[in-house]
Coordinates of all heavy atoms in Angstrom, one line a residue:
M1 N -37.7 11.0 -33.4 CA -37.5 12.0 -32.3 C -38.3 11.6 -31.0 O -37.8 11.8 -29.9 CB -37.9 13.4 -32.8 CG -37.7 14.5 -31.7 SD -36.0 14.8 -31.7 CE -36.0 16.3 -30.9
R2 N -39.5 11.1 -31.2 CA -40.3 10.8 -30.1 C -39.6 9.5 -29.3 O -39.7 9.5 -28.1 CB -41.7 10.3 -30.6 CG -42.6 10.0 -29.5 CD -44.0 9.6 -29.9 NE -44.8 10.8 -29.6 CZ -46.0 10.9 -29.9 NH1 -46.6 10.0 -30.7 NH2 -46.8 12.0 -29.5
K3 N -39.0 8.6 -30.0 CA -38.4 7.5 -29.4 C -37.1 8.0 -28.5 O -36.9 7.5 -27.4 CB -37.8 6.5 -30.4 CG -38.9 5.6 -31.1 CD -38.3 4.7 -32.0 CE -39.5 3.9 -32.7 NZ -39.0 2.9 -33.7
I4 N -36.4 9.0 -29.1 CA -35.4 9.5 -28.3 C -35.8 10.1 -27.1 O -35.2 9.9 -25.9 CB -34.5 10.5 -29.2 CG1 -33.8 9.7 -30.3 CG2 -33.4 11.2 -28.4 CD1 -33.2 10.7 -31.3
L5 N -36.9 10.9 -27.1 CA -37.3 11.6 -25.9 C -37.9 10.6 -24.9 O -37.8 10.8 -23.7 CB -38.5 12.6 -26.2 CG -38.0 13.8 -27.1 CD1 -39.2 14.6 -27.4 CD2 -37.0 14.6 -26.2
L6 N -38.4 9.4 -25.3 CA -38.8 8.4 -24.4 C -37.7 7.7 -23.8 O -37.9 7.2 -22.6 CB -39.8 7.5 -25.1 CG -41.1 8.1 -25.6 CD1 -41.9 7.1 -26.4 CD2 -42.0 8.6 -24.4
T7 N -36.7 7.5 -24.4 CA -35.5 6.8 -23.8 C -34.6 7.7 -22.9 O -33.8 7.1 -22.1 CB -34.7 6.1 -24.9 OG1 -34.2 7.1 -25.8 CG2 -35.4 5.1 -25.6
L8 N -34.6 8.9 -23.1 CA -33.7 9.8 -22.3 C -33.9 9.7 -20.8 O -33.0 9.6 -20.0 CB -33.9 11.3 -22.7 CG -33.2 11.6 -24.0 CD1 -33.4 13.1 -24.3 CD2 -31.8 11.4 -23.8
P9 N -35.2 9.6 -20.3 CA -35.4 9.3 -18.8 C -34.8 8.1 -18.4 O -34.5 7.9 -17.1 CB -36.9 9.3 -18.6 CG -37.4 10.0 -19.8 CD -36.5 9.7 -20.9
L10 N -34.4 7.1 -19.1 CA -33.8 5.8 -18.8 C -32.4 5.9 -18.6 O -31.7 5.0 -17.9 CB -34.2 4.8 -19.7 CG -35.7 4.3 -19.9 CD1 -35.9 3.3 -21.0 CD2 -36.3 4.0 -18.6
V11 N -31.8 6.9 -19.2 CA -30.3 6.9 -19.1 C -29.7 7.1 -17.7 O -28.8 6.3 -17.3 CB -29.8 8.1 -20.0 CG1 -28.3 8.3 -19.8 CG2 -30.1 7.8 -21.4
P12 N -30.4 7.9 -16.8 CA -29.8 8.0 -15.4 C -29.9 6.6 -14.7 O -29.0 6.3 -13.8 CB -30.6 9.0 -14.8 CG -31.1 9.9 -15.9 CD -31.2 8.9 -17.0
I13 N -30.9 5.9 -15.0 CA -31.1 4.6 -14.3 C -29.9 3.7 -14.7 O -29.5 2.8 -13.8 CB -32.5 4.0 -14.8 CG1 -33.6 4.9 -14.2 CG2 -32.6 2.5 -14.3 CD1 -35.0 4.4 -14.7
L14 N -29.4 3.7 -15.8 CA -28.3 2.9 -16.3 C -27.1 3.1 -15.4 O -26.3 2.2 -15.1 CB -27.9 3.1 -17.7 CG -29.0 2.7 -18.7 CD1 -28.5 3.0 -20.1 CD2 -29.2 1.2 -18.6
F15 N -26.9 4.3 -14.9 CA -25.7 4.6 -14.0 C -26.0 4.2 -12.6 O -25.0 4.0 -11.8 CB -25.4 6.1 -14.1 CG -24.9 6.6 -15.4 CD1 -25.7 7.4 -16.2 CD2 -23.7 6.4 -15.7 CE1 -25.3 7.8 -17.4 CE2 -23.2 6.7 -17.0 CZ -24.0 7.5 -17.8
L16 N -27.2 3.9 -12.2 CA -27.5 3.5 -10.8 C -27.3 2.0 -10.8 O -27.0 1.4 -9.6 CB -28.9 3.8 -10.5 CG -29.1 5.3 -10.4 CD1 -30.6 5.6 -10.1 CD2 -28.3 6.0 -9.3
V17 N -27.5 1.2 -11.9 CA -27.3 -0.2 -11.9 C -25.8 -0.5 -11.9 O -25.0 -0.1 -12.7 CB -28.0 -0.8 -13.1 CG1 -27.7 -2.4 -13.2 CG2 -29.4 -0.6 -13.1
Q18 N -25.3 -1.3 -10.9 CA -24.0 -1.7 -10.8 C -23.8 -3.1 -10.8 O -24.6 -3.9 -10.5 CB -23.4 -1.1 -9.4 CG -23.4 0.3 -9.2 CD -22.9 0.7 -7.9 OE1 -22.5 -0.1 -7.1 NE2 -22.8 2.0 -7.7
D19 N -22.6 -3.5 -11.3 CA -22.3 -5.0 -11.2 C -22.0 -5.3 -9.8 O -22.0 -4.6 -8.9 CB -21.0 -5.1 -12.0 CG -21.1 -4.9 -13.5 OD1 -22.2 -5.0 -14.0 OD2 -20.1 -4.5 -14.1
S20 N -22.0 -6.7 -9.6 CA -21.7 -7.2 -8.3 C -20.4 -6.6 -7.8 O -19.5 -6.4 -8.5 CB -21.7 -8.7 -8.3 OG -20.6 -9.1 -9.1
P21 N -20.4 -6.3 -6.5 CA -19.1 -5.7 -6.0 C -17.9 -6.7 -6.2 O -18.0 -7.8 -6.0 CB -19.3 -5.5 -4.5 CG -20.6 -6.3 -4.2 CD -21.3 -6.6 -5.5
T22 N -16.8 -6.0 -6.5 CA -15.6 -6.8 -6.8 C -14.9 -7.1 -5.4 O -14.9 -6.2 -4.5 CB -14.6 -6.1 -7.7 OG1 -14.3 -4.8 -7.1 CG2 -15.2 -5.9 -9.1
P23 N -14.3 -8.3 -5.2 CA -13.7 -8.5 -3.9 C -12.4 -7.6 -3.9 O -11.8 -7.3 -4.9 CB -13.4 -10.0 -4.0 CG -13.4 -10.3 -5.5 CD -14.3 -9.4 -6.1
P24 N -12.0 -7.3 -2.5 CA -10.9 -6.4 -2.5 C -9.6 -7.2 -3.0 O -9.5 -8.4 -2.8 CB -10.8 -6.2 -0.9 CG -11.6 -7.3 -0.3 CD -12.6 -7.7 -1.3
Q25 N -8.6 -6.5 -3.4 CA -7.4 -7.0 -3.9 C -6.6 -7.5 -2.7 O -6.5 -6.8 -1.6 CB -6.5 -6.1 -4.6 CG -5.2 -6.7 -5.1 CD -4.3 -5.6 -5.8 OE1 -4.5 -4.5 -5.8 NE2 -3.3 -6.1 -6.4
L26 N -6.1 -8.7 -2.7 CA -5.3 -9.3 -1.5 C -3.9 -9.2 -1.8 O -3.4 -9.6 -2.9 CB -5.8 -10.8 -1.4 CG -7.2 -11.1 -0.9 CD1 -7.4 -12.6 -1.0 CD2 -7.4 -10.6 0.5
L27 N -3.2 -8.6 -0.9 CA -1.7 -8.6 -0.9 C -1.1 -9.3 0.3 O -1.7 -9.1 1.3 CB -1.2 -7.1 -0.9 CG -1.6 -6.3 -2.1 CD1 -1.2 -4.8 -1.8 CD2 -0.9 -6.7 -3.3
V28 N 0.0 -10.0 0.1 CA 0.7 -10.7 1.2 C 2.2 -10.1 1.1 O 2.8 -10.4 0.1 CB 0.5 -12.1 1.2 CG1 1.3 -12.8 2.3 CG2 -0.8 -12.6 1.2
F29 N 2.5 -9.5 2.1 CA 3.9 -9.1 2.3 C 4.6 -10.2 3.2 O 4.3 -10.3 4.4 CB 4.1 -7.8 3.0 CG 3.5 -6.6 2.1 CD1 2.1 -6.2 2.3 CD2 4.2 -5.9 1.2 CE1 1.6 -5.3 1.6 CE2 3.7 -4.9 0.5 CZ 2.3 -4.6 0.6
R30 N 5.5 -10.9 2.6 CA 6.2 -12.0 3.3 C 7.7 -11.6 3.7 O 8.3 -10.8 2.9 CB 6.2 -13.3 2.5 CG 4.7 -13.8 2.3 CD 4.7 -15.1 1.5 NE 5.6 -16.1 2.0 CZ 5.2 -17.0 3.0 NH1 4.1 -16.9 3.5 NH2 6.1 -18.0 3.3
H31 N 8.1 -12.0 4.8 CA 9.5 -11.8 5.3 C 9.8 -10.4 5.6 O 10.9 -9.9 5.4 CB 10.6 -12.4 4.3 CG 10.3 -13.8 4.0 ND1 10.5 -14.8 4.9 CD2 9.8 -14.4 2.9 CE1 10.2 -16.0 4.3 NE2 9.8 -15.8 3.2
V32 N 8.8 -9.6 5.9 CA 8.9 -8.2 6.3 C 9.2 -8.1 7.8 O 8.8 -8.9 8.6 CB 7.7 -7.3 5.9 CG1 6.5 -7.8 6.7 CG2 7.9 -5.9 6.0
T33 N 9.9 -7.0 8.2 CA 10.1 -6.7 9.5 C 9.2 -5.6 10.0 O 9.0 -4.6 9.4 CB 11.6 -6.2 9.8 OG1 12.5 -7.1 9.4 CG2 11.8 -5.8 11.3
V34 N 8.3 -6.0 11.0 CA 7.2 -5.2 11.4 C 7.6 -4.4 12.6 O 8.1 -4.9 13.6 CB 5.9 -5.9 11.7 CG1 4.8 -5.1 12.3 CG2 5.4 -6.7 10.5
I35 N 7.5 -3.1 12.6 CA 7.7 -2.2 13.7 C 6.3 -1.7 14.2 O 5.6 -1.0 13.4 CB 8.6 -1.0 13.3 CG1 9.8 -1.6 12.9 CG2 8.7 0.0 14.5 CD1 10.9 -0.5 12.3
N36 N 5.9 -2.1 15.4 CA 4.5 -1.9 15.7 C 4.3 -0.6 16.7 O 3.2 -0.3 17.1 CB 3.9 -3.1 16.4 CG 4.5 -3.4 17.7 OD1 5.3 -2.6 18.3 ND2 4.3 -4.7 18.2
M37 N 5.3 0.2 16.9 CA 5.2 1.5 17.5 C 4.7 1.3 18.9 O 4.2 2.3 19.5 CB 4.4 2.4 16.8 CG 4.9 2.6 15.3 SD 6.6 3.2 15.2 CE 6.5 4.8 15.9
T38 N 4.9 0.2 19.6 CA 4.5 0.0 21.0 C 5.6 0.1 21.9 O 5.6 -0.1 23.1 CB 3.7 -1.3 21.2 OG1 4.6 -2.5 20.9 CG2 2.4 -1.4 20.3
G39 N 6.8 0.2 21.4 CA 8.0 0.1 22.2 C 8.8 -1.3 22.2 O 9.9 -1.4 22.7
S40 N 8.1 -2.3 21.7 CA 8.7 -3.6 21.7 C 9.6 -3.6 20.5 O 9.5 -2.9 19.5 CB 7.5 -4.7 21.5 OG 6.8 -4.5 20.3
P41 N 10.6 -4.6 20.5 CA 11.6 -4.7 19.4 C 10.9 -5.0 18.1 O 9.8 -5.6 18.1 CB 12.6 -5.7 19.9 CG 11.8 -6.4 20.9 CD 10.8 -5.5 21.6
P42 N 11.5 -4.7 17.0 CA 11.0 -5.0 15.7 C 10.8 -6.5 15.6 O 11.6 -7.3 16.1 CB 12.1 -4.5 14.7 CG 12.7 -3.4 15.4 CD 12.8 -3.9 16.8
S43 N 9.8 -7.0 14.8 CA 9.4 -8.3 14.6 C 9.9 -8.8 13.2 O 9.2 -8.4 12.3 CB 8.0 -8.7 14.8 OG 7.6 -8.2 16.1
P44 N 11.0 -9.5 13.1 CA 11.4 -9.9 11.8 C 10.7 -11.1 11.3 O 10.0 -11.8 12.0 CB 12.9 -10.3 12.0 CG 13.0 -10.7 13.5 CD 12.0 -9.9 14.1
D45 N 10.8 -11.4 10.0 CA 10.2 -12.5 9.3 C 8.7 -12.7 9.5 O 8.3 -13.8 9.9 CB 11.0 -13.8 9.7 CG 10.9 -14.9 8.6 OD1 10.9 -14.6 7.5 OD2 11.0 -16.0 9.0
M46 N 8.0 -11.6 9.3 CA 6.5 -11.6 9.4 C 5.9 -11.6 8.1 O 6.5 -11.2 7.1 CB 6.2 -10.3 10.2 CG 6.8 -10.2 11.6 SD 6.2 -11.5 12.8 CE 4.7 -10.7 13.1
S47 N 4.6 -12.0 8.1 CA 3.7 -11.9 7.0 C 2.6 -10.9 7.4 O 2.0 -11.0 8.5 CB 3.1 -13.3 6.6 OG 4.0 -14.1 5.9
V48 N 2.2 -10.1 6.4 CA 1.1 -9.2 6.6 C 0.2 -9.2 5.5 O 0.7 -9.2 4.3 CB 1.7 -7.7 6.8 CG1 0.5 -6.7 6.9 CG2 2.6 -7.5 7.9
V49 N -1.1 -9.6 5.7 CA -2.1 -9.8 4.7 C -3.0 -8.6 4.7 O -3.5 -8.1 5.7 CB -2.9 -11.1 4.9 CG1 -4.0 -11.2 3.9 CG2 -2.0 -12.3 5.1
V50 N -3.1 -8.0 3.6 CA -3.8 -6.8 3.3 C -5.0 -7.1 2.3 O -4.8 -7.6 1.2 CB -3.0 -5.6 2.8 CG1 -3.9 -4.4 2.6 CG2 -1.8 -5.3 3.7
A51 N -6.3 -6.9 2.7 CA -7.4 -7.0 1.8 C -8.0 -5.7 1.5 O -8.5 -5.0 2.5 CB -8.4 -7.9 2.5
G52 N -7.8 -5.2 0.3 CA -8.2 -3.8 0.0 C -7.4 -2.8 0.8 O -6.2 -2.6 0.5
T53 N -8.1 -2.1 1.7 CA -7.4 -1.1 2.5 C -7.3 -1.4 4.0 O -7.0 -0.6 4.8 CB -8.2 0.2 2.4 OG1 -9.5 0.1 3.0 CG2 -8.3 0.7 1.0
H54 N -7.5 -2.8 4.3 CA -7.4 -3.2 5.7 C -6.4 -4.3 5.9 O -6.3 -5.3 5.0 CB -8.8 -3.7 6.2 CG -9.8 -2.7 6.2 ND1 -10.6 -2.3 5.1 CD2 -10.2 -2.0 7.3 CE1 -11.4 -1.3 5.5 NE2 -11.3 -1.1 6.8
I55 N -5.6 -4.2 6.9 CA -4.7 -5.3 7.4 C -5.6 -6.4 8.0 O -6.3 -6.0 9.0 CB -3.6 -4.8 8.3 CG1 -2.8 -3.7 7.6 CG2 -2.8 -6.0 8.8 CD1 -1.7 -3.1 8.5
T56 N -5.6 -7.6 7.5 CA -6.4 -8.6 8.1 C -5.7 -9.7 8.8 O -6.2 -10.4 9.7 CB -7.1 -9.3 6.9 OG1 -6.3 -9.9 6.0 CG2 -8.1 -8.5 6.2
Q57 N -4.4 -9.8 8.6 CA -3.6 -10.8 9.4 C -2.2 -10.2 9.5 O -1.6 -9.7 8.6 CB -3.5 -12.2 8.7 CG -4.7 -12.9 8.8 CD -4.6 -14.3 8.2 OE1 -3.5 -14.6 7.6 NE2 -5.6 -15.2 8.2
V58 N -1.6 -10.6 10.7 CA -0.1 -10.2 10.9 C 0.4 -11.4 11.7 O -0.2 -11.8 12.8 CB 0.1 -8.9 11.7 CG1 1.5 -8.8 12.0 CG2 -0.5 -7.8 10.9
G59 N 1.4 -12.0 11.3 CA 2.0 -13.1 12.1 C 3.2 -13.6 11.4 O 3.7 -13.2 10.3
R60 N 4.0 -14.6 12.1 CA 5.1 -15.1 11.6 C 4.8 -15.7 10.3 O 3.8 -16.3 10.0 CB 5.7 -16.2 12.6 CG 6.2 -15.5 13.9 CD 7.7 -16.0 14.1 NE 8.2 -15.3 15.1 CZ 9.1 -14.3 14.8 NH1 9.4 -14.0 13.6 NH2 9.7 -13.5 15.8
V61 N 5.8 -15.9 9.4 CA 5.7 -16.4 8.1 C 5.1 -17.8 8.1 O 4.2 -18.1 7.3 CB 7.0 -16.4 7.2 CG1 7.0 -17.2 6.0 CG2 7.4 -14.9 6.9
D62 N 5.6 -18.6 9.0 CA 5.1 -20.1 9.1 C 3.8 -20.2 9.7 O 3.2 -21.2 9.8 CB 6.2 -20.8 9.9 CG 6.5 -20.4 11.2 OD1 6.0 -19.3 11.5 OD2 7.2 -21.1 12.0
Q63 N 3.2 -19.1 10.3 CA 1.9 -19.2 10.9 C 0.7 -18.5 10.1 O -0.4 -18.7 10.4 CB 1.9 -18.5 12.3 CG 2.9 -19.2 13.2 CD 3.0 -18.4 14.6 OE1 2.7 -17.2 14.6 NE2 3.5 -19.0 15.6
V64 N 1.1 -17.9 9.0 CA 0.0 -17.1 8.2 C 0.0 -17.8 7.0 O 0.9 -17.9 6.2 CB 0.4 -15.6 8.0 CG1 -0.6 -14.9 7.1 CG2 0.4 -14.9 9.4
N65 N -1.4 -18.3 6.7 CA -1.6 -18.9 5.4 C -1.8 -17.8 4.2 O -2.5 -16.8 4.6 CB -2.8 -19.8 5.4 CG -2.6 -21.0 6.4 OD1 -1.5 -21.5 6.4 ND2 -3.6 -21.4 7.1
T66 N -1.4 -18.0 3.1 CA -1.5 -17.1 2.0 C -2.9 -17.4 1.3 O -3.1 -18.6 0.9 CB -0.4 -17.3 0.9 OG1 0.9 -17.0 1.6 CG2 -0.6 -16.4 -0.2
P67 N -3.8 -16.4 1.3 CA -5.1 -16.7 0.7 C -5.0 -16.9 -0.7 O -4.1 -16.4 -1.5 CB -5.8 -15.4 1.0 CG -5.1 -14.6 2.0 CD -3.6 -15.1 1.9
K68 N -5.9 -17.7 -1.2 CA -5.9 -18.2 -2.7 C -6.1 -16.8 -3.5 O -7.0 -16.0 -3.2 CB -7.0 -19.1 -3.0 CG -7.1 -19.6 -4.3 CD -8.1 -20.6 -4.5 CE -8.2 -21.1 -6.0 NZ -9.3 -22.1 -6.1
G69 N -5.3 -16.7 -4.5 CA -5.4 -15.6 -5.5 C -4.8 -14.4 -5.0 O -4.8 -13.3 -5.6
A70 N -4.0 -14.4 -3.9 CA -3.3 -13.2 -3.3 C -2.0 -12.9 -4.1 O -1.3 -13.9 -4.5 CB -3.0 -13.4 -1.9
R71 N -1.8 -11.7 -4.2 CA -0.4 -11.3 -4.8 C 0.6 -11.2 -3.6 O 0.4 -10.6 -2.7 CB -0.5 -9.8 -5.4 CG 0.7 -9.4 -6.0 CD 0.6 -8.0 -6.7 NE 1.9 -7.5 -7.0 CZ 2.2 -6.2 -7.1 NH1 1.2 -5.3 -6.9 NH2 3.3 -5.8 -7.4
V72 N 1.6 -12.0 -3.9 CA 2.7 -12.2 -2.9 C 3.9 -11.3 -3.2 O 4.3 -11.4 -4.2 CB 3.0 -13.6 -2.7 CG1 4.2 -13.8 -1.6 CG2 1.9 -14.5 -2.4
I73 N 4.3 -10.5 -2.2 CA 5.4 -9.6 -2.3 C 6.5 -10.0 -1.4 O 6.3 -10.1 -0.1 CB 5.0 -8.1 -2.1 CG1 3.9 -7.8 -3.1 CG2 6.1 -7.2 -2.1 CD1 3.3 -6.4 -2.8
D74 N 7.7 -10.3 -1.9 CA 8.8 -10.7 -1.0 C 9.3 -9.4 -0.5 O 9.9 -8.6 -1.1 CB 9.8 -11.4 -1.8 CG 11.1 -11.8 -1.0 OD1 10.9 -11.8 0.3 OD2 12.0 -12.3 -1.5
A75 N 9.2 -9.2 0.8 CA 9.6 -7.9 1.4 C 10.8 -8.2 2.4 O 11.1 -7.4 3.2 CB 8.5 -7.4 2.3
S76 N 11.7 -9.1 1.9 CA 12.9 -9.4 2.7 C 13.7 -8.1 2.7 O 13.9 -7.4 1.7 CB 13.7 -10.5 2.0 OG 13.0 -11.7 2.0
G77 N 14.2 -7.8 3.9 CA 15.1 -6.6 4.1 C 14.3 -5.2 4.1 O 14.9 -4.2 4.1
K78 N 13.0 -5.4 4.1 CA 12.1 -4.1 4.2 C 11.5 -4.1 5.5 O 11.4 -5.1 6.3 CB 11.1 -4.2 3.1 CG 11.6 -4.5 1.7 CD 12.3 -3.3 1.2 CE 12.6 -3.5 -0.3 NZ 13.9 -3.2 -0.7
F79 N 10.9 -2.9 5.9 CA 10.3 -2.7 7.1 C 8.9 -2.1 6.9 O 8.6 -1.4 5.9 CB 11.0 -1.6 7.9 CG 12.5 -2.0 8.4 CD1 13.5 -1.9 7.5 CD2 12.7 -2.6 9.6 CE1 14.7 -2.3 7.8 CE2 13.9 -3.0 9.9 CZ 15.0 -2.9 9.1
M80 N 7.9 -2.6 7.8 CA 6.6 -2.0 7.7 C 6.2 -1.4 9.0 O 6.4 -1.9 10.0 CB 5.6 -3.2 7.4 CG 4.3 -2.7 7.1 SD 3.2 -4.1 6.5 CE 3.7 -4.2 4.8
I81 N 5.7 -0.2 8.9 CA 5.3 0.6 10.1 C 3.8 1.0 9.8 O 3.6 2.0 9.2 CB 6.1 1.8 10.4 CG1 7.6 1.4 10.4 CG2 5.8 2.5 11.6 CD1 8.6 2.6 10.5
P82 N 2.9 0.2 10.2 CA 1.4 0.6 10.0 C 1.0 1.8 10.6 O 1.5 2.1 11.8 CB 0.7 -0.6 10.5 CG 1.7 -1.8 10.7 CD 3.0 -1.1 10.9
G83 N 0.2 2.6 9.8 CA -0.6 3.8 10.5 C 0.2 5.1 10.4 O -0.3 6.0 11.0
L84 N 1.4 5.1 9.7 CA 2.0 6.4 9.6 C 1.7 7.3 8.4 O 2.4 8.3 8.2 CB 3.5 6.2 9.8 CG 4.0 5.7 11.1 CD1 5.5 5.5 11.1 CD2 3.6 6.6 12.3
W85 N 0.9 6.8 7.5 CA 0.6 7.4 6.3 C 0.1 8.9 6.4 O 0.4 9.6 5.6 CB -0.3 6.6 5.4 CG -1.6 6.5 5.9 CD1 -2.1 5.6 6.8 CD2 -2.7 7.4 5.6 NE1 -3.4 5.8 7.0 CE2 -3.8 6.9 6.3 CE3 -2.9 8.5 4.8 CZ2 -5.1 7.5 6.2 CZ3 -4.1 9.1 4.7 CH2 -5.2 8.6 5.4
D86 N -0.6 9.2 7.4 CA -1.2 10.6 7.5 C -0.7 11.4 8.8 O -1.3 12.2 9.3 CB -2.7 10.6 7.6 CG -3.2 9.9 8.9 OD1 -2.4 9.3 9.5 OD2 -4.4 9.9 9.1
M87 N 0.5 11.1 9.1 CA 1.2 11.8 10.3 C 1.4 13.3 10.1 O 1.4 14.0 11.0 CB 2.5 11.1 10.7 CG 2.4 9.8 11.3 SD 1.6 9.7 12.8 CE 2.8 10.6 13.9
H88 N 1.5 13.7 8.9 CA 1.6 15.1 8.5 C 0.5 15.6 7.8 O 0.7 16.1 6.6 CB 2.9 15.4 7.8 CG 3.3 16.8 7.7 ND1 3.8 17.5 8.7 CD2 3.2 17.7 6.6 CE1 4.0 18.8 8.3 NE2 3.6 18.9 7.1
F89 N -0.8 15.4 8.3 CA -2.0 15.8 7.6 C -2.5 17.2 8.0 O -2.4 17.5 9.1 CB -3.1 14.8 8.0 CG -4.3 15.0 7.2 CD1 -4.4 14.6 5.9 CD2 -5.4 15.6 7.8 CE1 -5.6 14.7 5.3 CE2 -6.6 15.7 7.1 CZ -6.7 15.3 5.9
H90 N -2.8 18.0 7.0 CA -3.4 19.3 7.4 C -4.8 19.4 7.2 O -5.3 19.0 6.3 CB -2.7 20.4 6.4 CG -1.2 20.6 6.7 ND1 -0.7 21.4 7.6 CD2 -0.2 20.0 6.2 CE1 0.6 21.4 7.8 NE2 1.1 20.4 6.8

């Protein structure tokens, strides 16, 4: 019983110790048409690189390198409009 009482204070410390942070998941949307909401025409055949929750690169398919280990999604025939996810937020 005494050993259990001595180890109980150590339990919360175990929850504070974390593994090294995991790198964000990398996604690459290739051949997507980007609508940037600036009034300019849609940009077809683009690549969009997303790391975690941030867009890190946008450019023509032939100008954007696919990062090593990224999940590549063929978005041919699809449209991407960044920033509209919370347009109807209360």
Side-chain angles (χ1 to χ4, degrees):
M1 180 70 163
R2 181 176 256 177
K3 287 182 181 180
I4 293 173
L5 290 176
L6 292 175
T7 56
L8 281 177
L10 298 176
V11 173
I13 293 172
L14 294 175
F15 291 105
L16 296 176
V17 177
Q18 297 180 358
D19 294 334
S20 60
T22 57
Q25 181 182 10
L26 294 173
L27 294 173
V28 180
F29 296 90
R30 293 180 55 85
H31 305 289
V32 66
T33 299
V34 174
I35 301 174
N36 63 18
M37 304 306 292
T38 63
S40 61
S43 302
D45 205 30
M46 301 289 281
S47 283
V48 178
V49 180
V50 180
T53 59
H54 293 85
I55 296 172
T56 58
Q57 289 183 354
V58 177
R60 294 230 165 259
V61 169
D62 57 351
Q63 296 175 343
V64 174
N65 293 324
T66 300
K68 185 177 179 180
R71 179 177 171 205
V72 179
I73 298 170
D74 181 11
S76 299
K78 308 291 187 223
F79 296 86
M80 186 174 282
I81 307 172
L84 294 180
W85 66 272
D86 65 351
M87 289 294 290
H88 190 77
F89 184 79
H90 292 273

